[in-house]
Amino acid sequence: MYTVRNITEDLYYVGGDDRRLALFENIFPIPQGVSYNSYLLMDEKTVLIDTVDWSIAREYMSNVEYVLDGRDLDYLLINHMEPDHCAAIGLMLSKYPNATLIASEKAILFMRQFGFDVDDRYIEVKEGDTMNFGKHTLAFVEAPMVHWPEVLMTYDTKDKVLFSADAFGSFIANNGRLFADEVNWDRDYLDEARRYYTNIVGKYGTFVQKALEKAGGLDIAYICPLHGLVWREDIGYLLDKYIHWATYEPEEEGVLIAYASMYGNTEYAAQTLANKLCQAGITNISLRDVSSTDVSVLIAETFKYSNLVLASVTYNLNIYPKMKDFLNDMAALNVQNRGVSIIGNGTWAPQAAEKMEKFLDEEMRLMDVLPEGLDIVSSLKPSKEADVDAIVEGIKDNMKKRREEKAKAKSQKSGTKK
Ligand SMILES: Cc1cc2nc3c(=O)[nH]c(=O)nc-3n(C[C@H](O)[C@H](O)[C@H](O)COP(=O)(O)O)c2cc1C
Ligand SMILES: [Fe+2]
Ligand SMILES: [Fe+2]
């Protein structure tokens, strides 16, 4: 059988879903699965665009065979050499011995490193090159570090299709759907798309910005990513999300309160703060326990909100390990430009607050650590209420400052345009 769908008259989706994998890259939980997308262009020549993970190779082979319908495969175009997409290259090369590989110079090198016998069966392409296959001409756009250094994006000039590699992808299996307009994307996919982007490509914002600039110069009717759904409507909406993420601009004015607590005292302080923030009108809040929330979720929400509150117990003279993991991940992914309020707790030698502040200062960029903080000293006493109120005011002021800075930058930008 087969699980293919048409995208345009000549272009077919031939990928598939993995709903059994627990951890993507053996690290990120994917409770709703993931898709590995591959596309087959049926022109005067046949061109298979990327392959899939080993886990779905059997279904994939039958999809490709079904669409080819007796024709031979002429070309295998590889945009990205990560094994979740390239595992089936060897299978394809042996099943279709006349197929010629098309890839960047680096991708060919990686193929050899991964042990694929590419022999001299390849054409190397680079930025600006084009190839014609009959009705369709494909143009190649280099997109290094989105998500690996060899990455190409490919643009079909006839049907205005951008094959965007990992960019614009998402977790969540496709489950028979193909287009983003077939689902309630904002409600059901945005969080997982953000979690995918921020954790996997988030570190390379400047490279993504460069790729977005190149994509901005193209007239795009379809975006075909390597994971998740295909876009053919409202592409500006998705681009806008990507611009926020790639430039580390918060999507929303709001607060992620992440707390580390063993016995509930720090949790209670975090809860008290959330309560007071809501009373002050700041209701766009996410309150998360770092011990029970996967760090990939914390990272995604850090990219989403303008403000963070980090509340941690002291643990053996240090930041609580799960909070430290979160901080390390934020730094590794280049998170920047957030207002941060700090709450520390300890019973005999509190260290968490000081160490978190030092980390933000020394290991991260442009983190605006607010002066209002709270030292809980074992449990939150009524005498500390004024400190909690001061944090609320500090966050309010910080949000106002950010709003004003944003408005100023916007008016300067429109001023320079005139
Ligand atoms: C294993 C362990 C190590 C700790 N290390 C320290 C420490 O180095 N310095 C300190 O002041 N408190 C330390 N504490 C105490 C907690 O930080 C403190 O009791 C805190 O109030 C607990 O808050 P919670 O109810 O939110 O878990 C430690 C507690 C545990 C269980
Ligand atoms: Fe990748
Ligand atoms: Fe991927």
Side-chain angles (χ1 to χ4, degrees):
M1 267 309 286
Y2 56 88
T3 54
V4 308
R5 281 187 66 181
N6 265 94
I7 295 170
T8 64
E9 197 186 339
D10 304 327
L11 185 66
Y12 295 79
Y13 177 86
V14 290
D17 292 340
D18 188 341
R19 279 177 294 270
R20 292 189 173 195
L21 185 69
L23 297 175
F24 187 78
E25 290 184 0
N26 213 8
I27 186 167
F28 305 111
I30 44 166
Q32 299 183 79
V34 68
S35 76
Y36 304 110
N37 299 348
S38 171
Y39 304 94
L40 183 48
L41 182 66
M42 298 295 288
D43 202 345
E44 283 167 28
K45 297 287 180 187
T46 58
V47 188
L48 184 60
I49 302 170
D50 289 298
T51 73
V52 295
D53 187 75
W54 195 252
S55 58
I56 60 160
R58 191 174 57 168
E59 172 184 343
Y60 178 59
M61 298 296 274
S62 70
N63 280 349
V64 172
E65 199 176 310
Y66 172 77
V67 176
L68 283 173
D69 194 22
R71 290 180 65 185
D72 200 3
L73 180 67
D74 298 308
Y75 293 99
L76 174 54
L77 164 60
I78 298 296
N79 285 312
H80 183 19
M81 265 305 292
E82 192 167 5
D84 56 334
H85 308 293
C86 75
I89 290 179
L91 273 179
M92 285 296 160
L93 291 180
S94 52
K95 184 161 181 199
Y96 300 103
N98 301 317
T100 301
L101 283 158
I102 305 168
S104 68
E105 185 184 0
K106 265 213 174 78
I108 299 291
L109 171 74
F110 290 180
M111 282 178 211
R112 295 203 160 106
Q113 287 181 194
F114 277 111
F116 296 116
D117 183 14
V118 300
D119 215 351
D120 56 357
R121 291 175 62 179
Y122 61 87
I123 297 170
E124 273 178 16
V125 291
K126 58 181 184 321
E127 177 86 21
D129 288 352
T130 58
M131 279 182 78
N132 178 271
F133 300 99
K135 288 187 281 175
H136 298 261
T137 297
L138 297 184
F140 304 103
V141 179
E142 288 173 359
M145 297 324 295
V146 186
H147 145 235
W148 278 20
E150 82 295 359
V151 170
L152 289 177
M153 292 187 186
T154 299
Y155 179 65
D156 177 344
T157 58
K158 178 181 177 290
D159 287 339
K160 305 185 189 333
V161 183
L162 181 69
F163 299 95
S164 61
D166 273 338
F168 306 114
S170 178
F171 295 135
I172 305 184
N174 287 342
N175 303 327
R177 291 149 180 151
L178 177 60
F179 297 105
D181 52 272
E182 293 174 330
V183 300
N184 187 333
W185 202 85
D186 209 62
R187 187 190 66 193
D188 298 333
Y189 282 73
L190 173 58
D191 286 346
E192 284 295 87
R194 184 190 300 108
R195 190 166 70 88
Y196 168 83
Y197 171 85
T198 57
N199 285 277
I200 288 164
V201 199
K203 180 179 176 60
Y204 304 112
T206 47
F207 290 96
V208 178
Q209 285 177 49
K210 281 188 196 131
L212 289 173
E213 275 167 32
K214 290 185 192 177
L218 302 170
D219 180 10
I220 300 172
Y222 298 87
I223 295 180
C224 293
L226 285 177
H227 303 280
L229 300 163
V230 169
W231 284 74
R232 62 181 173 183
E233 282 178 15
D234 216 3
I235 286 172
Y237 164 92
L238 184 64
L239 284 173
D240 180 63
K241 290 290 175 203
Y242 260 72
I243 290 166
H244 279 91
W245 299 335
T247 56
Y248 306 97
E249 267 296 312
E251 274 166 83
E252 292 178 12
E253 189 174 80
V255 191
L256 165 63
I257 307 172
Y259 64 87
S261 178
M262 295 169 285
Y263 301 110
N265 292 288
T266 313
E267 179 178 16
Y268 180 63
Q271 177 69 43
T272 304
L273 176 66
N275 178 301
K276 281 184 175 287
L277 280 168
C278 288
Q279 289 191 56
I282 301 172
T283 52
N284 193 19
I285 285 176
S286 176
L287 184 62
R288 295 283 193 180
D289 181 343
V290 297
S291 297
S292 59
T293 309
D294 190 79
V295 71
S296 66
V297 173
L298 300 173
I299 288 295
E301 293 192 342
T302 307
F303 274 72
K304 177 178 175 184
Y305 294 114
S306 59
N307 286 73
L308 292 177
V309 177
L310 304 176
S312 178
V313 293
T314 303
Y315 195 83
N316 296 333
L317 296 179
N318 220 318
I319 304 165
Y320 190 68
K322 291 277 189 179
M323 180 63 84
K324 192 71 202 293
D325 288 349
F326 175 35
L327 284 165
N328 284 336
D329 250 27
M330 274 200 275
L333 293 169
N334 276 330
V335 172
Q336 50 195 272
N337 185 26
R338 296 295 185 273
V340 189
S341 314
I342 290 180
I343 296 176
N345 199 358
T347 296
W348 60 89
Q351 293 280 316
E354 203 179 302
K355 292 211 157 148
M356 286 193 289
E357 189 165 345
K358 190 163 182 276
F359 186 94
L360 291 161
D361 194 40
E362 292 176 0
E363 309 288 334
M364 298 186 68
R365 290 180 54 213
L366 304 172
M367 295 305 259
D368 200 358
V369 180
L370 310 190
E372 301 83 6
L374 170 67
D375 291 317
I376 299 173
V377 195
S378 299
S379 71
L380 187 62
K381 313 287 182 309
S383 61
K384 297 273 176 161
E385 186 168 2
D387 291 350
V388 183
D389 289 334
I391 295 178
V392 173
E393 286 309 308
I395 291 172
K396 256 171 107 173
D397 290 348
N398 184 260
M399 287 177 165
K400 186 161 166 260
K401 187 183 93 177
R402 292 171 161 274
R403 238 177 282 138
E404 286 167 359
E405 281 170 3
K406 214 170 150 187
K408 202 169 144 194
K410 208 172 163 189
S411 76
Q412 273 172 356
K413 214 171 161 190
S414 64
T416 48
K417 264 189 199 156
K418 278 175 198 157

